[in-house]
Amino acid sequence: MIDLAEMAERYRNARDLFLSNARLAKWEIYSIPHPLQGPCEIDLFTDVAYCGNIESTNLLMVSSGTHGIEGYLGSEIQSRLLADDVMAVDRADRHAVMVHAVNPYGFAWHRRVNEDNVDLNRNFVDFGLPLAVNEGYEEFRSILNPVEWDDEYEVKLKVEAARALERMGLGALFKAVSGGQYEHPSGVQYGGNAPTWSRRTMEDIWVRAMAGKHRVTQIDLHTGLGSPGEGVLMTYGTEEQSRIMRARAMWQEILVSPPADTGDVLAKGVLGPHLESLASGRDVLAVVLEYGTKDPVEVLCAIVADNWLHHHAEVDSERGAQIKQLMLDAFYLDDIPLREKAYRRAKEVVIAADAAG
Ligand SMILES: [Zn+2]
């Protein structure tokens, strides 16, 4: 059970540790205040720490909390990378940037989405063009968006999700449920109707960090998909693209999905490809380092419960505290050996990217 005071304290502790480790490691810091507050009126920020040579043409970025609550593991990894001085502060041949809490509202409120109920990784689209239609979503819309939530409904959802998983396979189910949708603002996996605060903030951070850079690598830390504690690198592209060859040379193991323009609904609106599109002519590689936590049915169940809570009940209630615990269980690794494993993997990925610079 996690009440409002505990949520506020968790966010404050994660942020304070990141900032103090960044200061101790002699990184420079700037903080961008979010217009809204978190639980118990705590102020929210996206914090940016940087080091190395700002004049260098080579940039390495590590970001956390694009999906709000997934930032708890990401933040811990960033703080440990700082404490261990993994990205050496005095490197003359690259500039390094860490973005803490891309979506601070979701982070502090234990939501995967932002203040507009938007999944940020569906928000990086051109809103001047017709928005993608995810036909698979309609079939699941009513089960994913219940009006009532109780223990009985949780069981029903898990049974239905397990059945769909068996019938469709994880790939197809994931596409239908997670592919995003732009028609139902209060539904799960909503992509929004305009660029969000976090997107605009990231665009500003990128403009500032990428000035004069020729070669950029961004690692965005995520959780909730895969085997517990296992960190898998993912990106979009085709094998003949030079950035994909660069990724394979640095890390060997990386999952490469087809780019958005080949019609993969999952690739639309994601932060990484947007960064790559902003920097045409430069060598920009954006990847996700995704850690497994719980099985996909548990994760889905937490997302559905949290969305129900947001639209139909009070967060400051016993049911609310239960659901916020469910969210933490689904997106954080409450197990020290698994977190160690996750950190070792992140360290290896960051060192390989930094060495290749
Ligand atoms: Zn995520």
Side-chain angles (χ1 to χ4, degrees):
M1 300 270 279
I2 297 181
D3 62 10
L4 298 192
E6 190 177 339
M7 276 197 282
E9 195 183 327
R10 281 174 174 274
Y11 168 73
R12 187 187 302 111
N13 289 344
R15 176 171 188 249
D16 285 355
L17 184 64
F18 173 79
L19 293 176
S20 66
N21 284 7
R23 278 188 210 105
L24 278 173
K26 304 215 168 358
W27 289 49
E28 305 282 334
I29 297 164
Y30 66 95
S31 299
I32 303 150
H34 190 277
L36 300 177
Q37 289 180 314
C40 303
E41 296 173 356
I42 192 170
D43 290 329
L44 305 173
F45 300 86
T46 291
D47 297 292
V48 184
Y50 59 97
C51 77
N53 180 7
I54 204 157
E55 304 291 325
S56 153
T57 57
N58 183 21
L59 171 67
L60 175 62
M61 283 191 281
V62 180
S63 49
S64 70
T66 297
H67 282 145
I69 188 159
E70 298 178 18
Y72 280 101
L73 188 70
S75 165
E76 207 169 283
I77 287 171
Q78 288 177 314
S79 293
R80 291 191 63 181
L81 290 170
L82 289 165
D84 290 349
D85 199 22
V86 172
M87 295 150 85
V89 73
D90 53 359
R91 278 266 299 268
D93 60 344
R94 67 106 175 87
H95 181 47
V97 174
M98 280 206 208
V99 182
H100 184 265
V102 173
N103 163 15
Y105 183 92
F107 197 132
W109 284 102
H110 279 211
R111 303 207 70 197
R112 194 171 169 274
V113 291
N114 81 336
E115 60 277 10
D116 311 306
N117 204 47
V118 165
D119 176 342
L120 288 190
N121 261 350
R122 300 289 169 262
N123 187 247
F124 287 83
V125 293
D126 183 346
F127 285 96
L129 295 176
L131 297 165
V133 176
N134 178 5
E135 277 151 14
Y137 184 82
E138 286 303 315
E139 188 191 335
F140 296 98
R141 186 156 71 92
S142 71
I143 184 96
L144 293 177
N145 297 288
V147 179
E148 300 290 340
W149 178 273
D150 52 23
D151 297 344
E152 211 176 302
Y153 193 83
E154 188 174 331
V155 173
K156 178 184 150 135
L157 174 69
K158 284 180 177 168
V159 169
E160 296 269 337
R163 268 194 208 135
L165 190 63
E166 201 173 301
R167 178 165 54 89
M168 301 167 75
L170 182 60
L173 181 63
F174 190 69
K175 235 174 230 188
V177 171
S178 282
Q181 51 88 12
Y182 297 88
E183 283 151 32
H184 311 287
S186 62
V188 297
Q189 303 300 121
Y190 178 55
N193 57 15
T196 52
W197 180 88
S198 293
R199 170 175 166 175
R200 287 180 276 115
T201 300
M202 281 310 284
E203 286 172 346
D204 290 346
I205 293 168
W206 284 332
V207 166
R208 193 165 159 167
M210 291 207 295
K213 303 289 181 279
H214 296 315
R215 180 184 164 111
V216 177
T217 307
Q218 170 165 299
I219 303 164
D220 197 28
L221 302 168
H222 285 256
T223 65
L225 187 64
S227 315
E230 207 81 51
V232 174
L233 281 168
M234 301 173 176
T235 193
Y236 296 96
T238 54
E239 293 297 334
E240 59 276 11
Q241 284 175 316
S242 61
R243 67 168 187 268
I244 301 301
M245 290 186 228
R246 171 151 83 87
R248 293 223 180 272
M250 279 190 307
W251 298 305
Q252 289 81 50
E253 297 281 307
I254 181 164
L255 218 95
V256 180
S257 304
D261 55 11
T262 51
D264 185 352
V265 67
L266 288 173
K268 288 196 167 49
V270 179
L271 176 144
H274 183 67
L275 168 65
E276 290 169 356
S277 74
L278 286 182
S280 59
R282 290 187 260 185
D283 177 6
V284 178
L285 170 65
V287 302
V288 161
L289 178 53
E290 174 84 52
Y291 288 99
T293 47
K294 287 272 190 311
D295 82 69
V297 172
E298 296 282 343
V299 173
L300 180 65
C301 180
I303 293 174
V304 171
D306 183 56
N307 192 58
W308 170 82
L309 175 67
H310 187 74
H311 294 101
H312 298 283
E314 289 297 320
V315 182
D316 191 8
S317 65
E318 201 178 315
R319 184 57 92 180
Q322 275 170 3
I323 291 175
K324 293 307 175 185
Q325 180 72 58
L326 210 62
M327 284 297 282
L328 194 68
D329 293 345
F331 291 102
Y332 180 65
L333 290 165
D334 191 12
D335 177 288
I336 294 171
L338 287 182
R339 289 209 299 278
E340 269 309 309
K341 183 178 168 177
Y343 175 61
R344 278 200 307 275
R345 171 73 174 138
K347 195 169 162 182
E348 179 187 287
V349 165
V350 168
I351 289 174
D354 218 6

